[in-house]
Amino acid sequence: MPRLPTTSAISTLALLGLFAASALVAAQSDKPNILIIFSDDHALRTISAYAGEDAVNQTPNIDRLAEEGAIFTRSFCGNSICQPSRAAILTGKHSHKNGVMTNGSAWNPNQQIFTRLLGDAGYQTAMIGKWHMHPFPSDEFDYHKTLTGMGGQGRYYNPEFVTFEGETVIEAGYSTDIITTESIEWMEGRDASKPFVMMCQFKSPHTNVMPPLRNLDMFNGKDIPVPESYHSDRSGRSKYLGHTWMQMSGMAAKDVLKTGPSAGSYDLPAGELNADRAKELGLPGFYSYMTPEQLAEWHAHYDPINEEYARRLAEGQVSKQERLEFPYQRYMKDYLRCVAAIDQNVGRLLEYLDASGLAENTIVIYSSDQGFFLGENGFTDKRLADDVTMSMPFLIRWPGVVAPGQRIDAMIQNIDYAPTFLDVAGVEVPADMDGKSLLPILSGETPDDWRASVYYHYYHNAAYNLPKIEAVRSDRYKLVRYYDHQTLKFGEDWELFDLEKDPTEQQSVYSNPEYASVLKQMKRELNKLRDQYEVVD
Ligand code: CA
């Protein structure tokens, strides 16, 4: 059984030296270091600190940040897909202002970003892992090593990276482990006379949800509870949602559900990195880039499960309901095994901070670019303005500033990250950033005039047969506007939700006369935000 790498690779002597050095730095500068642990598509309900009694899995290391710091219960993105969320974090601006409105948009590398502003203020900055935007980073950070391949996602096994020097290299092992090891190595080797920003960015648990071999046995033989709305007919929702290609029960991709041919039934030399040949043969692409040893262990896990399901199917033992829920069970178990690997690696990072003496003066954040539908409304993927997908995890530990054990309900957004990091470093926040510094909230005082609503705008209407989506969410209500579909001629369509009475957003009350005044107020709020953020679309 392959084992999780440990910090034992880092010599005790080096740690002792680092401890002495970091104590000295702390004395020289009170500017805190910032470690951002960032994952991709991580749904709140798969973090036990969020899910509480309803938890389907346990994430003790991520939860440790909530116990020793704060967990934000209303943390949102402004555009629920990978690249726009990352651009909003770097710039502190909404999509229409930073230019990354869809996953196909070009990133303007010359615009104002917090890492360069912190660099000017004496910080050393690094990003390792998933970047996804194009072009690849250049001088956005003092150091970077960026996942490449698979549309910028990178592979789970033996991933390719573009190095700081611009070379493409393959690193042997499992993506989340490698990114963590490289992040620890960078922190260990950094210029210890400067404070640092380390952005450790996992590709996981993004589709195609490939867990590390050590986690394959987790959740075996168990059924994960299916969300109540999995079989919903969505009659309470916009008619556009009946036309999306986000239906989980229809998912059939072999590389996602791991239903590919069993060992010995195909002819592809393993470990030759020949994805084209795998495609020609109709095999999952990962068959071509796992090593023979990895693939053998992979097959040993999945083949018997696939054979058993095929046998039961052939003998008519699989009910219609089980068939519809099969993709959910398959996807969810692998997703949770990926999340477990993230949590194990968050543990390694926290252990490293403890052992190196950096923990005291380092802000640690766990977040993810957006949430993810795991069967809610029968959906997979993200994009919609539903709380499930609009939510980003946000847990923060900052000894001496953030009081431990807090649950904070103030509404925050990814545009707030950049102003916050600048503020904690004593750098003036540029007036053209859309976000607000969280420093007062982190210090225990939510300002009286803190935002009353958050703005959302999704523009990638070429994908998943969706229209564009604009929304405003207040403490209690959410107004959603669907418009500009590429082929469907429904025109503009609206939803209104009472989140107190209908927290899972099943029944729009847009046409309910009892909500006429709420509707009026929310339309006013939407227009106010459009003016404030100078929205033109
Ligand atoms: Ca994502």
Side-chain angles (χ1 to χ4, degrees):
M1 173 71 64
R3 297 179 57 177
L4 183 70
T6 66
T7 43
S8 63
I10 301 157
S11 78
T12 313
L13 272 180
L15 284 179
L16 287 173
L18 198 64
F19 180 78
S22 68
L24 185 66
V25 173
Q28 284 170 347
S29 159
D30 57 359
K31 287 184 179 176
N33 306 306
I34 302 168
L35 169 61
I36 303 161
I37 311 170
F38 199 67
S39 60
D40 195 316
D41 293 3
H42 195 171
L44 263 54
R45 80 174 176 98
T46 60
I47 295 173
S48 39
Y50 276 104
E53 286 177 2
D54 299 329
V56 293
N57 63 327
Q58 292 299 315
T59 50
N61 294 297
I62 298 174
D63 292 7
R64 192 181 149 194
L65 295 176
E67 287 152 20
E68 297 174 0
I71 179 167
F72 281 73
T73 59
R74 290 174 179 166
S75 153
F76 302 104
C77 63
N79 184 353
S80 185
I81 38 175
C82 302
Q83 294 178 30
S85 183
R86 286 149 207 272
I89 285 171
L90 285 167
T91 61
K93 294 177 182 174
H94 278 300
S95 305
H96 63 285
K97 294 233 184 109
N98 65 45
V100 183
M101 295 170 76
T102 74
N103 271 347
S105 303
W107 162 249
N108 166 12
N110 301 315
Q111 63 185 312
Q112 169 184 280
I113 54 173
F114 83 84
T115 47
R116 265 199 294 260
L117 294 170
L118 285 184
D120 293 344
Y123 272 75
Q124 207 179 356
T125 62
M127 191 285 302
I128 296 173
K130 182 171 168 180
W131 164 258
H132 202 193
M133 296 193 290
H134 37 91
F136 283 103
S138 50
D139 65 350
E140 287 90 339
F141 315 96
D142 297 323
Y143 177 80
H144 44 79
K145 186 161 177 176
T146 311
L147 282 172
T148 186
M150 310 206 40
Q153 305 284 352
R155 302 190 295 242
Y156 272 103
Y157 279 80
N158 311 320
E160 284 181 300
F161 290 85
V162 173
T163 67
F164 186 65
E165 293 78 21
E167 285 170 44
T168 301
V169 296
I170 294 171
E171 299 290 355
Y174 183 70
S175 168
T176 312
D177 299 343
I178 295 165
I179 291 165
T180 303
T181 301
E182 300 250 347
S183 298
I184 291 174
E185 284 173 0
W186 182 84
M187 288 189 281
E188 192 191 7
R190 78 195 195 283
D191 175 356
S193 70
K194 295 177 173 179
F196 69 83
V197 176
M198 171 76 242
M199 301 177 80
C200 169
Q201 308 206 144
F202 304 133
K203 163 233 175 65
S204 185
H206 191 283
T207 292
N208 65 335
V209 287
M210 291 180 71
L213 298 173
R214 65 174 179 275
N215 289 352
L216 287 181
D217 287 339
M218 290 179 168
F219 308 100
N220 253 358
K222 287 184 191 157
D223 277 346
I224 311 297
V226 176
E228 223 170 286
S229 59
Y230 188 80
H231 298 283
S232 155
D233 63 1
R234 295 186 290 271
S235 56
R237 299 294 308 263
S238 166
K239 50 185 176 277
Y240 278 115
L241 302 192
H243 295 264
T244 67
W245 301 329
M246 290 166 52
Q247 188 78 22
M248 197 159 213
S249 60
M251 195 189 271
K254 288 178 183 163
D255 63 328
V256 179
L257 299 184
K258 323 293 162 32
T259 48
S262 56
S265 70
Y266 59 89
D267 184 20
L268 178 79
E272 290 198 0
L273 299 174
N274 196 345
D276 289 342
R277 181 73 185 129
K279 207 172 169 185
E280 273 171 37
L281 296 171
L283 299 170
F286 61 81
Y287 280 22
S288 73
Y289 58 75
M290 293 175 86
T291 65
E293 295 76 21
Q294 288 167 340
L295 200 53
E297 210 170 321
W298 186 268
H299 277 304
H301 170 79
Y302 288 97
D303 289 357
I305 298 171
N306 285 336
E307 282 155 20
E308 170 67 4
Y309 186 74
R311 182 190 64 77
R312 292 182 57 240
L313 204 59
E315 291 173 5
Q317 292 178 25
V318 178
S319 68
K320 187 183 172 201
Q321 177 167 333
E322 187 184 344
R323 233 177 18 245
L324 291 172
E325 294 177 3
F326 173 80
Y328 172 82
Q329 293 297 342
R330 271 301 173 92
Y331 192 93
M332 195 61 177
K333 285 177 195 176
D334 282 342
Y335 184 95
L336 294 176
R337 293 162 183 151
C338 288
V339 168
I342 290 174
D343 191 65
Q344 290 155 356
N345 279 289
V346 170
R348 289 179 64 207
L349 288 160
L350 296 182
E351 217 172 86
Y352 170 73
L353 294 181
D354 287 339
S356 63
L358 285 168
E360 242 350 81
N361 196 36
T362 300
I363 298 173
V364 183
I365 288 168
Y366 182 80
S367 177
S368 184
D369 55 358
Q370 8 69 209
F372 200 76
F373 281 118
L374 293 165
E376 295 88 349
N377 301 308
F379 288 146
T380 178
D381 213 74
K382 46 253 183 178
R383 300 165 200 279
L384 303 190
D386 289 42
D387 269 10
V388 172
T389 44
M390 191 176 161
S391 291
M392 300 166 73
F394 192 86
L395 301 96
I396 180 166
R397 184 182 78 178
W398 186 4
V401 176
V402 176
Q406 295 182 79
R407 286 183 89 83
I408 299 176
D409 294 332
M411 285 193 289
I412 65 166
Q413 221 171 356
N414 50 1
I415 50 171
D416 299 331
Y417 293 21
T420 304
F421 300 145
L422 295 172
D423 205 11
V424 302
V427 177
E428 195 179 338
V429 179
D432 64 351
M433 285 190 175
D434 291 327
K436 300 278 173 232
S437 167
L438 303 176
L439 189 54
I441 299 177
L442 297 176
S443 314
E445 273 313 313
T446 302
D448 290 339
D449 62 349
W450 189 251
R451 69 166 66 87
S453 61
V454 293
Y455 181 71
Y456 182 89
H457 208 149
Y458 169 83
Y459 301 90
H460 199 155
N461 60 344
Y464 288 72
N465 208 30
L466 282 170
K468 292 181 184 172
I469 304 166
E470 187 182 32
V472 54
R473 187 204 193 277
S474 72
D475 260 7
R476 175 158 176 188
Y477 301 104
K478 186 185 287 174
L479 177 68
V480 190
R481 177 172 81 105
Y482 300 86
Y483 72 104
D484 197 10
H485 193 285
Q486 297 208 318
T487 52
L488 295 171
K489 302 294 175 203
F490 298 159
E492 201 173 59
D493 196 31
W494 295 81
E495 290 174 329
L496 178 69
F497 295 102
D498 182 338
L499 300 170
E500 196 176 285
K501 292 189 177 159
D502 179 22
T504 62
E505 296 157 279
Q506 296 299 305
Q507 182 61 55
S508 168
V509 291
Y510 184 81
S511 306
N512 183 338
E514 285 172 34
Y515 285 88
S517 69
V518 172
L519 177 60
K520 220 167 155 183
Q521 174 207 327
M522 289 304 284
K523 283 204 169 169
R524 248 198 328 263
E525 191 66 22
L526 178 61
N527 286 329
K528 193 189 90 182
L529 292 182
R530 287 179 59 90
D531 287 348
Q532 181 186 330
Y533 297 128
E534 301 162 300
V535 181
V536 286
D537 194 344

